[in-house]
Amino acid sequence: MRKTKGIQAGCILLMAMLILSACAGGSAPASSSESGKTGGKTQISFWTPFSGGDGEFMTAMVDKFNQENPDIQVEQLSNRSEDYYTKLQTSLASDQAPDLAVLHSSRMPQFVPAGYVTPLDDLAAGSKVNWDEFNPTILESTIYDGKHYSIPLDTHAIVMYYNKTYLEKAGVLKDGKPVYDPSPEGFTAFLTKIKEAVPADVAPLAQPSVRIDAYWMFWGFYNQLTGGGKFYDDNGQAALNNPQAQQALEYVNSLYTSKLIPPNVNDAVKLFQDQRAAVLITGVWSTGSFENIKGLDFAVVPMPQIYDQPATWGDSHTLALPKHSQEDPAKQQAALTFVNWLAEHGDMWAKAGHIPSVTKVLDSKEFKDMPYRSDYAQSADFVKYWPRNEKQGQVNDNVVKEFEKMLAGQQDPATTLQKADASTNKITGK
């Protein structure tokens, strides 16, 4: 009898161990978590460099997508913009990259040739991405060797904001739009009339004399010239020192030396917000903040065309799939489903001021009902990106330093371009 009881006890113990083993070994949550699923949802890690208004609008979009798509959970991690690309490169090198990341078009030359980004053509077909729906100029910035490497969300170009009260006082406003002859002389005359009409402490045109703003303006004017826009020659050597670039740079410099742009402007955006500037050339991202300034009677148009063709500086937020040593197809498809949703809901992103990449969004009631955006949306058709060079960011930093010397009166435009080419060749090793 004692032996029988021992056998029964052993059986009971064995059964308990088997049950516990099944509970632990079944590990369904753990194993499916490794394949990107938790609680039946495919989880997507999404890195962005957004803060302020951009961050708020993107968070609202992520939340709305998660509500509408119960099978996918997007988890956004907002990073400091100053550290974003360093952190992203580190994550790629250690195989800890997110499933999805924002990648500016201007940064793609650092990532695509290095093999850090997954080509999307085969994957996009399964996520109903229709490349024909995108603005071709914006889309082109994401294509390398005939392959799509990211999906563009927008373009953010520089445009011209103006204080309607000041322009009307100067007699250069008609039907709410600025009036000037589309030439360097015509735009100078336009600003001169404003200067003569507004109080002495009001800037005809507000632009900083430091940082990148003057460089953006130069790039827009330079690309408006026939034969302009060249940065490198066919051998990869710097070629910015050329007649068209000098013509555009001399004009930009003249706006400062004539005091049509007052000296020592630091925060041009605040100057415009405080109604101490009549005109401001800056990015579309300022729209969202300007429209919330009580008493600011402003409007906005594309970058002034003063030469042969319309052109403006711009960049784009695009969304890319970082490479991993082992890819999860389910997560990749879920990520592209989310990205396609973001692009299709570009009207939500346009609240931040950006121009949506999907052309049909521009015709939607939601977009057209928003003030200001339609007034500069055409900029997407003639936006000019920086050239594709993996070291372009470093090159631009050095060119800006030469521009700052010029604007401080330390050198002329010709010398500025000569030094810019020399520093560029040193950085690129040409």
Side-chain angles (χ1 to χ4, degrees):
M1 181 66 104
R2 195 173 293 169
K3 184 177 180 181
T4 304
K5 286 183 178 179
I7 293 173
Q8 288 177 340
C11 290
I12 292 170
L13 179 61
L14 179 60
M15 289 177 64
M17 291 175 63
L18 288 171
I19 291 170
L20 287 171
S21 175
C23 291
S27 229
S31 63
S32 46
S33 175
E34 290 169 4
S35 65
K37 287 193 179 237
T38 300
K41 294 183 178 182
T42 301
Q43 287 192 317
I44 303 300
S45 56
F46 175 37
W47 282 15
T48 75
F50 300 134
S51 60
D54 281 0
E56 292 173 5
F57 290 123
M58 180 52 69
T59 297
M61 295 179 79
V62 170
D63 290 345
K64 185 173 175 61
F65 173 84
N66 284 338
Q67 291 169 7
E68 295 181 1
N69 296 268
D71 294 336
I72 302 173
Q73 181 71 28
V74 177
E75 296 180 349
Q76 179 188 197
L77 176 63
S78 297
N79 300 268
R80 283 164 35 98
S81 58
E82 306 94 305
D83 308 328
Y84 178 68
Y85 285 105
T86 300
K87 185 176 179 182
L88 184 58
Q89 284 184 307
T90 301
S91 73
L92 283 158
S94 60
D95 200 20
Q96 298 293 319
D99 302 312
L100 178 67
V102 169
L103 203 61
H104 284 81
S105 290
S106 60
R107 292 285 188 160
M108 291 186 72
Q110 294 176 241
F111 290 85
V112 173
Y116 286 151
V117 182
T118 303
L120 301 180
D121 293 272
D122 293 339
L123 292 167
S127 299
K128 300 180 181 178
V129 176
N130 184 353
W131 301 113
D132 293 335
E133 291 187 341
F134 293 88
N135 178 289
T137 302
I138 301 175
L139 185 65
E140 180 61 30
S141 72
T142 69
I143 298 174
Y144 285 69
D145 297 325
K147 296 179 181 179
H148 299 88
Y149 279 89
S150 65
I151 295 178
L153 182 59
D154 64 36
T155 189
H156 40 280
I158 58 170
V159 292
M160 187 174 88
Y161 296 91
Y162 55 95
N163 185 302
K164 294 166 70 175
T165 302
Y166 290 141
L167 266 62
E168 187 172 16
K169 186 176 182 180
V172 292
L173 191 71
K174 183 178 180 181
D175 298 327
K177 301 292 183 182
V179 178
Y180 58 88
D181 181 69
S183 66
E185 299 78 14
F187 192 61
T188 297
F190 164 76
L191 294 174
T192 302
K193 288 180 181 178
I194 294 173
K195 184 177 182 180
E196 293 170 349
V198 300
D201 64 343
V202 172
L205 173 58
Q207 287 289 99
S209 54
V210 292
R211 299 184 300 278
I212 200 169
D213 300 67
Y215 187 30
W216 285 338
M217 185 164 62
F218 156 77
W219 187 250
F221 287 148
Y222 176 36
N223 278 274
Q224 290 179 8
L225 285 158
T226 300
K230 188 175 184 179
F231 207 108
Y232 301 97
D233 65 17
D234 293 340
N235 296 317
Q237 289 192 317
L240 197 58
N241 184 19
N242 64 69
Q244 291 90 345
Q246 185 166 337
Q247 183 179 348
L249 189 55
E250 285 177 349
Y251 182 70
V252 169
N253 192 46
S254 74
L255 297 176
Y256 286 87
T257 57
S258 66
K259 306 295 175 62
L260 291 172
I261 298 175
N264 304 317
V265 171
N266 183 32
D267 193 338
V269 171
K270 188 174 189 307
L271 213 62
F272 189 80
Q273 286 179 337
D274 293 344
Q275 302 188 54
R276 292 177 52 218
V279 177
L280 170 68
I281 296 177
T282 194
V284 298
W285 53 82
S286 291
T287 302
S289 60
F290 288 162
E291 63 188 348
N292 290 319
I293 303 296
K294 188 176 181 180
L296 181 61
D297 187 16
F298 80 99
V300 57
V301 291
M303 171 83 174
Q305 181 185 341
I306 64 172
Y307 293 118
D308 308 319
Q309 61 221 3
T312 188
W313 171 87
D315 205 341
S316 290
H317 295 115
T318 80
L319 297 118
L321 301 183
K323 275 285 186 71
H324 304 89
S325 59
Q326 289 187 332
E327 301 292 2
D328 185 330
K331 295 184 78 168
Q332 289 180 319
Q333 287 296 336
L336 287 185
T337 296
F338 169 60
V339 173
N340 198 41
W341 186 96
L342 288 179
E344 294 282 344
H345 290 76
D347 57 287
M348 294 181 67
W349 187 236
K351 293 177 182 177
H354 306 300
I355 304 171
S357 59
V358 174
T359 53
K360 68 181 181 182
V361 173
L362 304 181
D363 296 324
S364 67
K365 183 178 185 301
E366 291 80 4
F367 181 80
K368 289 184 175 180
D369 282 349
M370 281 185 279
Y372 309 114
R373 279 76 171 171
S374 294
D375 295 325
Y376 57 71
Q378 68 195 84
S379 301
D381 296 331
F382 49 79
V383 63
K384 299 298 180 182
Y385 298 89
W386 295 127
R388 289 182 173 179
N389 188 301
E390 63 177 334
K391 296 184 178 179
Q392 192 63 39
Q394 189 179 351
V395 165
N396 287 344
D397 289 343
N398 280 269
V399 174
V400 167
K401 290 178 183 177
E402 298 303 330
F403 272 46
E404 289 176 341
K405 293 176 188 175
M406 178 190 72
L407 299 178
Q410 298 173 9
Q411 61 192 30
D412 61 16
T415 303
T416 298
L417 292 175
Q418 291 169 7
K419 289 186 174 182
D421 271 5
S423 68
T424 297
N425 285 333
K426 185 176 180 180
I427 291 168
T428 59
K430 297 294 182 179

